[in-house]
């Protein structure tokens, strides 16, 4: 019958020096893999960074807008394409010929930001190609646009310093902080013409395809700039045209709803950075490795799992992934991450494999891998390693710098397993 032969904690570290061997559990694992009195032997575990292909980016939680120069990851820029829909069908503008547009403002309520809130130059262009709500768009997708920038430039109207804390006053209302971009009056009147008599959003969108929002910031210094998270579907996010007709002032709103197609376009240029070096040479990830929304994922391989006996019950398996971050920086790590894996050799899809918590005290992600390790040992899934990335991978600009095995920092990654051998 089965007998319990050993019960101990087995720690797979991402690098450590040789220690005096503890005889507990001797014979259960190869000599070079035994638990020691105050440390662990070295295992062939690797950490590195892999590039991601095109990322689906349509219908995101937030539309992303802005650019910044990351001191580690290089330049990151984000823009987006969106349709607008009508706030009411068959609007009555009375006499369009005599209607005068007083102003037009595109307002977006903030959902957050990443980086530093420096001044940025915002631009808006009319899309000349159709967008489709049932189409899949990726982070590299682009659409043709008209040549005219719809933001007035006479007084540098597009040069705006975002303020995510200051409420705005619109008429008699005090609203949550928002980005307010002025638009060309002639264009605004054309929008009213398109809306006039439209009996559906489809009628309107046959005439007006949508808008492309971007920034034009030129060269930036390290740490300068930000990407704004815009909550475009909130009620106060809308394009408002203020006009006068027959001596009376009025307004009309164009909105972004679930009926509208929209997607983020994100470009990350990490050429000539440490990130690129680790992508090109996986062994460089022993010092530091990385994950960034839209572009890269951290990769962790555990070939030494094969040294565990097959006939064991895994009681606990905790992966500790410390990060390099100093408090107060606006280039903060993700509070939530996804840990996924390719579980089957004939299926390239990544499956979420674990729950994760972030320990503020140790500045580490702690990943519960008990079920994952047990299923590998049972032969139900393959040991293809783990991918770690920001949870909101296609709707933020977050990135993470992980400590590697040879980091100069105090904390190093490790995998601790507690099991019983039958």
């Amino acid at each position: 019958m089965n007998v319990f032969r050993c019960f101990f904690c087995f720690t797979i570290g991402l690098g450590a020096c040789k220690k005096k061997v503890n005889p507990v559990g001797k014979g259960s694992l190869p000599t070079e893999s035994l638990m020691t009195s105050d440390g662990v032997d070295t295992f062939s575990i690797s950490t590195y960074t892999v590039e991601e292909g095109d990322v689906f980016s349509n219908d995101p939680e937030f539309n992303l807008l802005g650019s910044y120069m990351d001191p580690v990851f290089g330049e990151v820029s984000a823009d987006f394409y969106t349709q607008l829909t009508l706030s009411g069908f068959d609007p009555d503008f009375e006499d369009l010929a005599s209607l005068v547009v007083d102003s037009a403002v595109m307002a977006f309520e903030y959902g957050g930001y990443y980086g530093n809130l420096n001044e940025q130059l915002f631009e808006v262009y009319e899309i000349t190609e159709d967008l489709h709500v049932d189409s899949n768009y990726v982070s590299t997708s682009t659409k043709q646009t008209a040549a005219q920038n719809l933001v007035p430039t006479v007084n540098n109207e597009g040069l705006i310093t975002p303020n995510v804390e200051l409420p705005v006053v619109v008429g008699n209302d005090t609203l949550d902080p928002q980005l307010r971009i002025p638009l060309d009056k002639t264009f605004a009147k054309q929008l009213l013409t398109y809306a006039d008599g439209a009996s559906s959003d489809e009628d309107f969108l046959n005439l007006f395809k949508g808008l492309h929002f971007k920034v034009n910031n030129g060269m930036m210094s390290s740490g300068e700039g930000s990407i704004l998270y815009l909550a475009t579907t909130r009620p106060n996010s809308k394009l408002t045209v203020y006009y006068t007709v027959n001596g009376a002032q009025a307004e009309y709103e164009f909105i972004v709803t679930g009926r509208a197609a929209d997607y983020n376009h994100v470009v990350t240029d990490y050429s000539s950075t440490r990130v690129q070096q680790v992508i090109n040479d996986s062994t460089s990830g022993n010092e530091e490795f990385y994950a960034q929304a839209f572009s890269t994922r951290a990769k962790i391989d555990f070939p030494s799992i094969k040294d565990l006996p097959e006939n064991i019950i895994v009681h606990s398996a905790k992966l500790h992934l410390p990060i390099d971050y100093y408090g107060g920086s606006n280039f903060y790590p993700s509070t939530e991450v996804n840990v996924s894996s390719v579980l089957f050799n004939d299926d390239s899809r990544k499956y979420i494999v674990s729950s994760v918590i972030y320990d503020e005290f140790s500045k580490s992600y702690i990943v519960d891998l008990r079920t994952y390790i047990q299923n590998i040992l049972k032969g139900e899934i393959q040991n293809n390693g783990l991918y770690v990335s920001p949870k909101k991978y296609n709707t933020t600009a977050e990135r993470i710098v992980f400590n590697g095995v040879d980091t100069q920092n105090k904390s190093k990654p490790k995998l601790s397993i507690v099991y019983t051998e039958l």
Side-chain angles (χ1 to χ4, degrees), residues 55-125:
V55 177
F56 288 112
S57 64
N58 48 302
D59 194 25
E61 179 182 359
F62 299 116
N63 283 122
L64 307 183
L65 183 60
S67 68
Y68 68 88
M69 183 61 72
D70 191 295
V72 176
F73 289 77
E75 185 175 1
V76 183
S77 63
D79 52 278
F80 68 94
Y81 299 81
T82 185
Q83 293 175 329
L84 298 177
T85 56
L86 302 173
S87 59
F89 302 133
D90 295 316
D92 182 11
F93 298 120
E94 299 185 27
D95 184 7
L96 267 174
S98 63
L99 181 150
V100 176
V101 173
D102 302 312
S103 64
V105 177
M106 185 75 238
F108 293 118
E109 192 169 321
Y110 294 115
Y113 70 98
Y114 198 84
N116 295 304
L117 294 173
N118 305 113
E119 185 178 68
Q120 300 196 59
L121 181 59
F122 296 90
E123 298 181 345
V124 182
Y125 295 88

Side-chain angles (χ1 to χ4, degrees), residues 1-7 313 315 419-422:
M1 64 178 180
N2 293 329
V3 294
F4 292 99
R5 296 196 317 182
C6 63
F7 179 78
I313 297 175
H315 300 286
Y419 69 87
T420 299
E421 184 178 356
L422 300 176

Side-chain angles (χ1 to χ4, degrees), residues 70-277:
D70 191 295
V72 176
F73 289 77
E75 185 175 1
V76 183
S77 63
D79 52 278
F80 68 94
Y81 299 81
T82 185
Q83 293 175 329
L84 298 177
T85 56
L86 302 173
S87 59
F89 302 133
D90 295 316
D92 182 11
F93 298 120
E94 299 185 27
D95 184 7
L96 267 174
S98 63
L99 181 150
V100 176
V101 173
D102 302 312
S103 64
V105 177
M106 185 75 238
F108 293 118
E109 192 169 321
Y110 294 115
Y113 70 98
Y114 198 84
N116 295 304
L117 294 173
N118 305 113
E119 185 178 68
Q120 300 196 59
L121 181 59
F122 296 90
E123 298 181 345
V124 182
Y125 295 88
E126 183 177 353
I127 301 171
T128 57
E129 287 186 85
D130 287 328
L131 289 173
H132 301 283
V133 70
D134 57 351
S135 294
N136 284 324
Y137 298 101
V138 296
S139 54
T140 56
S141 298
T142 60
K143 289 289 183 180
Q144 292 183 349
T145 62
Q148 180 190 358
N149 175 17
L150 299 176
V151 180
T153 59
V154 175
N155 296 309
N156 287 326
E157 288 90 337
L159 205 58
I160 301 170
T161 302
N163 191 325
V164 301
E165 297 181 352
L166 182 67
V168 298
V169 177
V170 180
N172 296 320
D173 298 323
T174 299
L175 307 176
D176 288 338
Q178 56 182 229
L179 175 68
R180 296 179 63 81
I181 305 174
L183 297 179
D184 179 76
K185 295 179 184 179
T186 301
F187 161 74
K189 185 167 184 179
Q190 186 63 54
L191 272 188
L192 297 182
T193 303
Y194 292 152
D196 185 47
S199 59
S200 67
D201 287 328
E202 290 72 21
D203 289 343
F204 176 67
L205 292 172
N206 283 332
L207 299 171
F208 175 68
K209 310 302 182 184
L211 293 174
H212 177 209
F213 294 85
K214 58 177 293 188
V215 295
N216 184 6
N217 291 331
M219 294 294 294
M220 295 178 294
S221 301
S222 178
E224 185 179 10
S226 63
I227 288 181
L228 307 173
Y229 303 162
L230 303 179
T232 51
T233 58
R234 291 182 187 174
N236 289 327
S237 295
K238 55 193 174 184
L239 193 167
T240 306
V241 179
Y242 301 90
Y243 63 90
T244 300
V245 62
N246 297 328
Q249 292 184 324
E251 60 188 63
Y252 185 80
E253 298 170 351
F254 300 87
I255 58 178
V256 180
T257 69
R259 302 188 304 273
D262 66 314
Y263 72 91
N264 290 322
H265 173 257
V266 179
V267 177
T268 302
D269 181 9
Y270 40 72
S271 58
S272 303
T273 69
R274 275 279 299 156
V275 177
Q276 184 69 70
Q277 181 181 346

Side-chain angles (χ1 to χ4, degrees), residues 251-316:
E251 60 188 63
Y252 185 80
E253 298 170 351
F254 300 87
I255 58 178
V256 180
T257 69
R259 302 188 304 273
D262 66 314
Y263 72 91
N264 290 322
H265 173 257
V266 179
V267 177
T268 302
D269 181 9
Y270 40 72
S271 58
S272 303
T273 69
R274 275 279 299 156
V275 177
Q276 184 69 70
Q277 181 181 346
V278 173
I279 291 172
N280 293 341
D281 177 11
S282 61
T283 62
S284 299
N286 288 334
E287 297 178 11
E288 202 171 71
F289 60 111
Y290 314 95
Q292 183 177 35
F294 284 98
S295 64
T296 57
R297 299 183 195 268
K299 184 66 163 57
I300 305 161
D301 291 336
F302 306 109
S304 293
I305 289 177
K306 69 181 185 300
D307 294 331
L308 286 165
E310 294 182 4
N311 58 332
I312 66 173
I313 297 175
V314 177
H315 300 286
S316 173

